[in-house]
Amino acid sequence: MLTPPVGKRRLATFTYLASETMRMQPAETPVRRDIVLIGGGHSHVAVLRRFAMHPEPGIRLTLVCRDTHTPYSGMLPGYVAGHYDFDEVHIDLRRLAQAAGARFIRDEAVGIARTEQTVTFAHRPPLPYDKLSINIGSTPRIGEVSGAQDHAVAVKPIHQFRERWRELLTRLAERSGEHQGPLQLAVVGGGAGGVELLLAMQYRLRHELEAQGRDPDILECALFTQSAEILPTHNRWVRARFRALLKNRGVAVHLNRQITRVEAGRLIDAEGEAFSADETVWVTQAGGAAWLEGTDLALDEQGFIRVNDYLQSISDPDIFAAGDIASQDGRPREKAGVFAVRQGRPLADNLRASLIDKSLAAYCPQRQWLALISSGDRYAVASRGPFSWSGAWLWRWKDRIDRRFMARFNDLPAMTDQATPHSESRVTLDNAEHTQALSALAMRCGGCGAKVGASVLSRALAGLSPIEHDDVLVGLASPDDAAVVRVPPGKAMVHSIDFFRAFIDDPYVFGQVAAHHALGDIFAMGAEAQTAMAVATVPPGLEAKVEDTLRQMMTGAVEVLDAAGCQLVGGHTGEGQELALGFSVNGLIDEAPERALRKDGLHPGDALILTKPLGTGTLFAAQAQLAARGRWIDAALDSMCQSNQAGATCLQTHGARACTDVTGFGLLGHLIEMTRPSGVDAELSLSALPVLEGAEATLAAGSLSSLQPANARVRRAIRDPVPWREHPRYGLLFDPQTAGGLLAGIPADNAEACVAKLRAMGYHEAAIIGRVISPSEDASDDPAPIRLRE
């Protein structure tokens, strides 16, 4: 609805939009201070862009947001109306944060511990900050109206409204052949947001009905507002235009109607009058998030954070706020996206200034602004103070401005290995921190001198409480020079080790993935994990920053180990240029050798089952080049963080004769490790391979893991590979996986039931991908053991 100004843009160490460039903060700059941004609103995306244009050595930004893709409010009605697709109206926060050299944490903050200066979450460790900024928008007060929480959908949070909107469109399509009565749509809220959204929904639904060959007039729309006028904050010319427009579109407008109760299929106002409604959307005045009340920050009557002219909380100078969640003392203003956009630059500059001992600059919001309100179709009405214009040309003009605005955050350049020169940090430190910073920049010791300090290590691990086994005689609970573990009678040991550097910037999630990856070998053998020892590398820096990184990473790892019944009994932590983590894991299995799941047990006729989708290698190679969409990476991380433990049990229950986990050698490499010792061949169906979203696209674009060329050398094991090289999934045969799924041979009669059970257990992409065949089945003289088919 509201169009921000379009300004200059600077991005990256690479060419973008002619001569504009973004300079990445050099990796070797030790982190001295942390700015944490809660929320992916318009102000914070502008802060990321500002720091990308002008990095500040020693300052690390971390963006915390529940959603990876944040919508631009100015284009959201166009998305609802069907004029734009999802990616055209959403900013990819993961990609933007990466381009700006910031960390991205996909989670929802639930509080702030101001004394400790940490952001708290429901299911992960607290996150320390030196300066904090909040840009989370407003929260509709839908819970204050009886029944509204159950029978209406609020326009915010956007992701919930978007899902409900998709469900409505799906239901409409599914009932296309049915004879139905009227479809009644109600919107509660007569401001610009409510009017614009209702017209967009009406436009889209009428077109959907027409496409289905149904009468679009079965759609009945109603607008409810407790005000005496629609669009009360706009001038009388704008109101008159929309009154006429709503009348022409057949929208029933109910003024002075306060909805006090919502029931299934109807709304009830303060006078007790009822109105029918199949779908109700809530777009009324909202307030601040409920969790802010527990922070002891100064809030206004609506629960918004009170800030001064520097956008600082009036009760805590280390906390800033912007956008709808902020209420600037002495400068009342409407909740409009244009203010959030304009606050981005002063917010970024004041956050920076507060850490380098510079004066802050006041932000003075404008009294009037240009609002462009669309009418569902490609038509818009302009409003600025007492002035108003309208026409299709305004929509086209708005469309051009909106697309240019979005391009500033989504059309990011490809990453290269080029780095900016090291610059002296301007961040103010106390004496102790200054000494630590000098040490971090100096030449570091090798050997045992490269270990992380004992006090840092003990503090980082102090909050961890791994499970304890009776078989562990000496471990973390009673530290000694080595762990002592008893092997129970009738059991044999299974040992494995894995280690790799971080490929994501969230140490907590990285710790989870590393633990899942290491446990995969144990589960693939049909064993139970018993104990683990960690090997971690942490970049040097201020003790507080090293301690937090280690705590975040090990907390994520220990949570996974605990869930698997595996006790962390010790390890080694040292300094290095990159964050890295690995585990040596041991498990227990029956002494009888036939009880172990080996790679060499495949039988002709077995079905080949894969429990997880492929594609992590190409997706993270693409992410390193800013060529992967954030939601693709989210899905890949979700897959990596799914344990193979339950899947292994399911495979065993259904008679698995051989099993392995698919990791660095790729699907084909690991399959050959199974067929060769088993003395069998295999046939794979390329179309049956489960694939992560986006993997085919990144593979086609040439984004390959550094291990892919080595893995591809086993293509000589494929019989007649030439016809298949152009298949979109052919390259995924060689794609290295991190924390990949299990590949198993199952008796054919059990395969369908096994896959059904796996999917019911949460392995939604589990599939039969081929079969085991006898070498004699192929009359060819070609000794290659792998046959491909569509």
Side-chain angles (χ1 to χ4, degrees):
M1 177 185 74
L2 299 170
T3 304
V6 178
K8 287 186 178 180
R9 176 172 196 256
R10 297 203 171 183
L11 285 179
T13 44
F14 353 88
T15 302
Y16 171 65
L17 293 183
S19 61
E20 295 179 322
T21 59
M22 175 188 290
R23 298 182 293 280
M24 307 302 293
Q25 179 166 305
E28 66 271 16
T29 304
V31 176
R32 298 187 173 192
R33 292 289 182 263
D34 276 301
I35 296 175
V36 174
L37 310 174
I38 300 179
H42 301 342
S43 298
H44 280 174
V45 297
V47 168
L48 289 173
R49 177 175 174 268
R50 184 71 173 162
F51 270 83
M53 293 162 56
H54 305 289
E56 187 66 45
I59 293 180
R60 176 174 60 186
L61 268 66
T62 301
L63 176 65
V64 176
C65 192
R66 176 193 55 231
D67 302 316
T68 299
H69 298 266
T70 187
Y72 171 46
S73 60
M75 299 177 78
L76 188 63
Y79 168 71
V80 171
H83 304 317
Y84 304 114
D85 63 27
F86 180 92
D87 289 316
E88 287 178 308
V89 305
H90 285 80
I91 296 170
D92 191 327
L93 295 176
R94 187 181 288 280
R95 291 180 67 237
L96 179 61
Q98 183 185 356
R103 299 187 300 181
F104 177 70
I105 292 179
R106 181 169 59 114
D107 210 323
E108 185 172 10
V110 298
I112 303 169
R114 288 171 50 200
T115 302
E116 296 80 10
Q117 287 197 289
T118 59
V119 178
T120 58
F121 303 88
H123 304 295
R124 61 176 293 149
L127 182 69
Y129 67 84
D130 295 292
K131 300 295 177 181
L132 179 67
S133 180
I134 304 172
N135 180 208
I136 56 175
S138 56
T139 302
R141 298 292 177 85
I142 189 171
E144 297 178 357
V145 176
S146 175
Q149 199 84 48
D150 298 322
H151 303 294
V153 59
V155 72
K156 293 181 180 180
I158 296 296
H159 75 281
Q160 291 183 0
F161 167 75
R162 187 174 63 236
E163 290 304 314
R164 184 73 166 263
W165 177 237
R166 288 175 178 171
E167 290 174 8
L168 175 59
L169 294 176
T170 300
R171 291 202 309 270
L172 203 64
E174 291 173 347
R175 299 177 183 177
S176 60
E178 300 178 13
H179 176 72
Q180 290 182 309
L183 173 62
Q184 296 169 316
L185 173 67
V187 170
V188 180
V195 170
E196 193 173 28
L197 184 62
L198 183 144
L199 291 172
M201 295 174 72
Q202 182 192 49
Y203 178 88
R204 176 70 175 276
L205 291 173
R206 286 183 64 87
H207 277 72
E208 292 290 331
L209 290 167
E210 289 176 347
Q212 297 169 12
R214 302 163 67 185
D215 182 6
D217 289 335
I218 68 169
L219 177 65
E220 299 177 358
C221 298
L223 182 73
F224 296 85
T225 177
Q226 62 184 10
S227 300
E229 267 287 5
I230 60 170
L231 291 93
T233 61
H234 293 268
N235 65 62
R236 61 191 181 95
W237 303 108
V238 174
R239 295 197 296 269
R241 290 178 192 274
F242 275 99
R243 279 197 302 268
L245 187 60
L246 291 167
K247 182 178 181 180
N248 291 338
R249 302 276 177 88
V251 176
V253 178
H254 301 277
L255 304 175
N256 298 307
R257 296 281 184 176
Q258 182 181 5
I259 301 301
T260 57
R261 190 162 80 253
V262 183
E263 299 176 352
R266 67 177 192 162
L267 308 174
I268 300 171
D269 70 6
E271 304 299 322
E273 187 172 355
F275 303 87
S276 297
D278 297 307
E279 288 288 337
T280 300
V281 180
W282 214 260
V283 199
T284 60
Q285 182 64 40
W291 63 265
L292 290 172
E293 297 176 4
T295 63
D296 290 330
L297 292 173
L299 308 176
D300 69 8
E301 293 180 356
Q302 287 75 44
F304 298 117
I305 301 170
R306 292 175 58 194
V307 299
N308 58 26
D309 284 350
Y310 307 116
L311 303 179
Q312 287 173 304
S313 163
I314 65 168
S315 52
D316 191 332
D318 290 328
I319 296 179
F320 294 71
D324 286 358
I325 198 60
S327 174
Q328 193 169 350
D329 276 8
R331 301 183 187 273
R333 58 175 175 79
E334 186 179 350
K335 300 298 183 184
V338 65
F339 294 109
V341 172
R342 290 185 180 274
Q343 286 172 341
R345 180 165 180 167
L347 175 63
D349 292 347
N350 284 342
L351 284 167
R352 186 196 308 268
S354 68
L355 290 174
I356 60 174
D357 200 24
K358 297 291 184 182
S359 298
L360 278 59
Y363 162 74
C364 180
Q366 74 254 45
R367 294 183 178 181
Q368 295 182 352
W369 65 95
L370 177 65
L372 295 174
I373 310 170
S374 59
S375 57
D377 53 358
R378 291 177 170 83
Y379 188 93
V381 176
S383 172
R384 181 180 175 87
F387 303 105
S388 174
W389 307 268
S390 63
W393 67 271
L394 269 173
W395 193 92
R396 293 191 297 270
W397 180 52
K398 177 181 183 301
D399 176 63
R400 287 194 297 271
I401 294 175
D402 287 345
R403 289 182 183 275
R404 286 201 302 269
F405 174 77
M406 291 296 289
R408 301 162 72 189
F409 303 101
N410 280 343
D411 293 349
L412 304 177
M415 299 288 288
T416 72
D417 293 332
Q418 181 180 355
T420 50
H422 174 72
S423 301
E424 182 66 28
S425 175
R426 301 187 294 171
V427 175
T428 305
L429 302 176
D430 60 31
N431 289 338
E433 291 175 325
H434 184 67
T435 301
Q436 294 172 26
L438 289 176
S439 175
L441 284 173
M443 181 176 294
R444 308 296 290 180
C445 296
C448 286
K451 293 177 69 173
V452 171
S455 59
V456 174
L457 186 59
S458 61
R459 288 196 303 267
L461 300 179
L464 301 181
S465 54
I467 60 169
E468 294 187 16
H469 283 301
D470 292 337
D471 298 328
V472 178
L473 305 181
V474 176
L476 284 182
S478 54
D480 214 310
D481 290 331
V484 180
V485 181
R486 179 189 293 115
V487 179
K491 294 290 185 179
M493 276 281 193
V494 178
H495 288 280
S496 182
I497 186 168
D498 276 293
F499 181 83
F500 51 84
R501 65 185 186 180
F503 54 92
I504 53 173
D505 51 26
D506 184 341
Y508 173 76
V509 175
F510 172 60
Q512 291 183 315
V513 173
H516 279 299
H517 187 86
L519 289 167
D521 287 333
I522 303 299
F523 298 142
M525 293 291 294
E528 296 178 1
Q530 185 190 29
T531 62
M533 299 196 77
V535 179
T537 302
V538 185
L542 298 183
E543 286 188 358
K545 307 304 179 185
V546 174
E547 179 184 330
D548 176 63
T549 297
L550 192 56
R551 179 188 298 112
Q552 297 274 339
M553 183 171 67
M554 294 309 300
T555 299
V558 167
E559 287 177 1
V560 171
L561 294 172
D562 283 357
C566 181
Q567 183 175 346
L568 181 67
V569 295
H572 177 87
T573 303
E575 291 182 344
Q577 286 299 311
E578 296 179 295
L579 186 67
L581 180 63
F583 293 93
S584 172
V585 185
N586 79 269
L588 298 175
I589 199 166
D590 287 348
E591 277 186 330
E594 65 273 9
R595 298 300 299 273
L597 275 177
R598 304 280 299 277
K599 294 180 181 179
D600 61 359
L602 293 177
H603 291 189
D606 285 351
L608 292 171
I609 290 179
L610 182 62
T611 62
K612 287 188 186 182
L614 303 170
T616 62
T618 179
L619 284 170
F620 282 93
Q623 186 205 28
Q625 300 296 322
L626 290 179
R629 300 194 187 282
R631 63 178 177 274
W632 299 348
I633 301 303
D634 290 348
L637 289 172
D638 289 343
S639 178
M640 292 176 177
C641 288
Q642 184 177 27
S643 172
N644 280 327
Q645 187 173 22
T649 301
C650 180
L651 293 170
Q652 285 182 293
T653 301
H654 288 82
R657 289 193 262 245
C659 186
T660 188
D661 61 330
V662 180
T663 52
F665 295 156
L667 175 65
L668 195 63
H670 288 288
L671 178 58
I672 292 171
E673 288 184 330
M674 299 176 76
T675 58
R676 189 170 292 157
S678 301
V680 296
D681 290 358
E683 181 182 73
L684 290 178
S685 169
L686 290 176
S687 61
L689 296 179
V691 176
L692 288 165
E693 182 186 5
E696 289 185 21
T698 55
L699 191 69
S703 295
L704 303 177
S705 166
S706 57
L707 192 55
Q708 174 106 357
N711 287 350
R713 292 171 190 158
V714 300
R715 61 182 176 272
R716 59 183 177 272
I718 300 174
R719 299 179 192 176
D720 193 19
V722 175
W724 304 105
R725 288 178 180 170
E726 299 304 317
H727 194 284
R729 297 187 178 181
Y730 175 78
L732 291 172
L733 295 173
F734 319 109
D735 189 58
Q737 305 303 293
T738 301
L742 299 174
L743 175 65
I746 302 287
D749 292 343
N750 298 342
E752 293 290 349
C754 182
V755 168
K757 181 64 176 177
L758 284 167
R759 291 181 177 178
M761 295 169 67
Y763 300 90
H764 302 299
E765 303 296 325
I768 300 171
I769 64 169
R771 64 190 182 104
V772 180
I773 59 178
S774 170
S776 61
E777 287 186 35
D778 195 330
S780 169
D781 292 332
D782 187 349
I786 307 299
R787 180 191 303 170
L788 300 181
R789 61 181 172 84
E790 177 60 32

